[in-house]
Amino acid sequence: MEPDETPAAETRPPGLIRRGWERAKAGWEIGQRLLLGTLPLVLAVLAVVMVVREAARQPIEIAEMSVPTSLSDSGLSGTVAARRLLDAINATAHAVRTETLHRPSAELEGSEPDLNIPAAGLSLRGLAALLRNLLGWPERKLSGEIIVTGDRMRLRLRLAGHGVIADVDGPVAEGADPLLLRAAPEVWRVVAPRLYAWYIAEMDAEEEEIRDRLLLLRRRVEEADATATIDFLFARSLVRSGHAARALELLDLVMEEGPPRASAHYGRALALRALGDREGALQAQARGLALDPLSPWAHLSSAVLLRELGRYEEALAAARTAQRLDDDDRDGLIEEARILRFMGRLAEAASVARRAVALDPTYAPAHAGMGHTLLRQNEHAAALVAFETALRLAPHLADGHTGRGQALAGLGRTPDALESLARAIALDATDHRPHHVKGSVHARLGEWEEALAAYDTAIRLTAGVPELYLGRGVALAELGRRAEAVAALRQAFALGLDDAAGRRLLMELEAGR
């Protein structure tokens, strides 16, 4: 080695920590390059998918309405009228869904198209509309016009592909809102016949009129699901009118002619229940459940039948199954509270009823369920408030009128109570409860003939409630019809009645023979 040369530094391999750091750094750089290279592509694909999905939904756009200058000057512009129409359409759908105590809760889920007002500027809906136009897909647009002639105002609605779907008129002095409310259901008649069928079925009208309108709708629709719904509702109307045998014949014919449908079995269950055959009704419900195993409503209906058969533990299990299938199942909570009341577990019933109200404060049956729980706790004034809240939300809720009548009777307001009970009977002729309460009211007044008539009507509607035979026996005893009273009281105890006063009365009557 020359004197001016220095030895090369000895190279040492990097340590473990350094090697790990270098590898992590290299991986981070590669990840950055991949992310920056692929992120725009991923975002573009997501945007395309979102636009295509929105286009495939085929929403119905509500166009700005044509309104006369006189209305525009007063603040009712075409845009405002379109928004009020959308509000009225949505209100109709909401009204149908808030009265679902006797309806499969999921039946209407996803059955209605999306109705909206096109947003100004660049938007997902705007891009979807552009795509539909480029692909030549038919446009679904709802348009309308308001015409003022003298002191009359006329509203016409048109849906692309269907022409005029609503044509209503009224006094100018009442404004446009009543016309929009009257026209809104006609939109559902065309775009969602099943929802419209339920709207008809829940109308405040005579059952015969409801059946006439259902028949007219059935002639217009071609969808198999809509036809099945209409058949079910027609049969339900017959049951409510006291014609359960005719309903059963109709549904048997429907089942013979068409494919098996759960709704037909559900309808048969309603008819058989009204005819007093609860075991047969439970079997029909089970057949419907076999075709529709994930339906919360089917399990809930089974719970109702099991409760009426006195099989409370099974009923409670069925109601809770319905809630597991739908954690927003308000009716499941309401039925659970009712079963707990029958089991004498009033504190639990009150807790469950409060949960139902908290889940949806706008749901009328939840308030009615709370009212029934308060009645069992003899809190008649609070119960009356709950029932009147329910009826403000759903004026046609028969159960609300029944409970209101019972609360009013407990407060000593007998004429109002009888009026409310009469309203409940007019709304649902198949429910024995308003007749039962009516019999109790007449009995407290010493009106034994009227009490007996009410109890007899209730027994014709349901033969398994021992308290009805107790009431009948007391009325017959007061009328001096001892042998019939003994038979009625014996039937009450055969059905499991536990009433010391009733037992003493039976012993006295038997001793006096």
Side-chain angles (χ1 to χ4, degrees):
M1 177 180 297
E2 296 297 329
D4 58 346
E5 293 180 359
T6 58
E10 184 178 352
T11 58
R12 295 181 180 179
L16 181 63
I17 295 176
R18 185 175 180 82
R19 287 200 305 272
W21 168 254
E22 293 295 337
R23 287 176 183 173
K25 185 178 178 182
W28 173 256
E29 291 173 352
I30 292 170
Q32 278 188 315
R33 287 196 294 272
L34 286 173
L35 183 62
L36 292 174
T38 59
L39 184 59
L41 179 61
V42 171
L43 292 176
V45 170
L46 286 174
V48 170
V49 169
M50 291 173 65
V51 171
V52 171
R53 285 186 61 187
E54 181 68 20
R57 289 175 61 205
Q58 292 189 317
I60 297 174
E61 294 185 350
I62 302 178
E64 182 177 334
M65 296 181 67
S66 172
V67 299
T69 307
S70 59
L71 294 180
S72 298
D73 292 342
S74 63
L76 186 67
S77 65
T79 302
V80 171
R83 292 190 180 281
R84 289 187 185 178
L85 175 61
L86 179 59
D87 289 342
I89 293 170
N90 289 334
T92 301
H94 178 72
V96 171
R97 293 195 187 94
T98 57
E99 299 192 23
T100 58
L101 198 59
H102 305 290
R103 177 176 66 78
S105 58
E107 181 181 281
L108 300 179
E109 193 72 31
S111 65
E112 317 97 71
D114 176 36
L115 289 101
N116 62 73
I117 295 173
L122 186 64
S123 66
L124 178 60
R125 287 174 176 169
L127 292 173
L130 178 61
L131 178 61
R132 285 194 296 271
N133 290 334
L134 290 174
L135 296 176
W137 290 357
E139 185 179 42
R140 303 187 77 190
K141 183 169 289 188
L142 181 66
S143 59
E145 59 184 3
I146 298 176
I147 303 167
V148 174
T149 306
D151 62 349
R152 304 293 293 178
M153 182 185 296
R154 190 180 203 92
L155 168 65
R156 289 195 187 96
L157 296 181
R158 294 181 177 83
L159 182 64
H162 296 275
V164 176
I165 61 171
D167 189 347
V168 295
D169 73 327
V172 171
E174 293 182 1
D177 285 344
L179 300 184
L180 295 170
L181 289 170
R182 285 169 53 198
E186 300 305 311
V187 177
W188 292 122
R189 174 179 60 81
V190 177
V191 303
R194 280 197 294 170
L195 188 144
Y196 185 71
W198 279 101
Y199 168 77
I200 292 172
E202 298 296 345
M203 288 174 56
D204 185 11
E206 296 294 329
E207 290 294 336
E208 187 173 356
E209 180 186 346
I210 288 173
R211 291 195 294 274
D212 288 343
R213 294 190 62 171
L214 287 171
L215 280 176
L216 181 61
L217 179 64
R218 196 183 192 282
R219 296 190 190 105
R220 293 175 174 173
V221 301
E222 297 178 357
E223 299 174 19
D225 288 341
T227 300
T229 295
I230 294 168
D231 288 340
F232 168 78
L233 291 171
F234 190 91
R236 189 188 75 157
S237 177
L238 286 172
V239 171
R240 287 183 167 186
S241 302
H243 304 298
R246 282 178 56 196
L248 202 57
E249 292 174 5
L250 169 67
L251 291 166
D252 287 342
L253 183 62
V254 167
M255 294 178 67
E256 288 175 8
E257 294 181 346
R261 286 191 173 273
S263 60
H265 291 293
Y266 297 152
R268 293 189 77 254
L270 290 176
L272 289 166
R273 175 175 176 254
L275 291 170
D277 184 4
R278 281 177 171 72
E279 289 290 354
L282 190 60
Q283 292 171 13
Q285 192 69 28
R287 285 191 286 272
L289 187 57
L291 296 171
D292 192 18
L294 299 180
S295 167
W297 181 84
H299 290 280
L300 187 59
S301 297
S302 299
V304 172
L305 290 166
L306 288 164
R307 169 175 55 77
E308 291 177 343
L309 288 167
R311 293 156 60 176
Y312 298 131
E313 292 293 346
E314 293 174 75
L316 193 60
R320 288 173 174 169
T321 298
Q323 292 172 57
R324 282 196 297 273
L325 290 169
D326 180 4
D327 55 8
D328 290 332
D329 185 14
R330 304 158 300 184
D331 290 331
L333 288 170
I334 293 166
E335 181 57 31
E336 181 180 348
R338 180 177 290 179
I339 295 166
L340 290 168
R341 291 198 301 272
F342 274 86
M343 298 173 79
R345 295 157 60 176
L346 298 184
E348 292 176 73
S351 175
V352 173
R354 282 192 291 270
R355 282 169 52 202
V357 172
L359 183 63
D360 186 356
T362 68
Y363 191 51
H367 291 278
M370 187 73 244
H372 285 297
T373 301
L374 291 166
L375 283 177
R376 284 294 303 272
Q377 296 173 326
N378 293 320
E379 297 182 30
H380 295 98
L384 181 61
V385 172
F387 288 121
E388 291 187 337
T389 300
L391 292 172
R392 278 196 300 273
L393 293 167
H396 312 142
L397 186 66
D399 184 51
H401 289 282
T402 298
R404 181 174 182 269
Q406 191 170 354
L408 288 167
L411 293 169
R413 295 167 56 183
T414 302
D416 292 336
L418 291 174
E419 182 181 344
S420 193
L421 294 169
R423 178 68 176 142
I425 292 167
L427 286 168
D428 187 356
T430 68
D431 191 353
H432 72 277
R433 291 176 301 161
H435 297 282
H436 188 172
V437 179
K438 184 180 177 183
S440 301
V441 172
H442 285 301
R444 281 199 292 269
L445 295 172
E447 298 170 349
W448 298 110
E449 289 287 359
E450 292 83 352
L452 180 61
Y455 285 126
D456 283 345
T457 301
I459 289 170
R460 283 197 296 272
L461 293 170
T462 180
V465 179
E467 289 79 9
L468 293 175
Y469 290 95
L470 173 63
R472 185 173 192 272
V474 171
L476 287 166
E478 292 291 341
L479 291 169
R481 296 160 61 176
R482 181 178 297 174
E484 294 174 83
V486 168
L489 291 169
R490 285 176 177 172
Q491 180 65 20
F493 288 107
L495 289 170
L497 180 69
D498 182 14
D499 187 275
R503 180 73 68 183
R504 285 196 301 273
L505 176 61
L506 177 59
M507 293 173 63
E508 291 171 5
L509 291 171
E510 288 176 330
R513 297 182 69 180

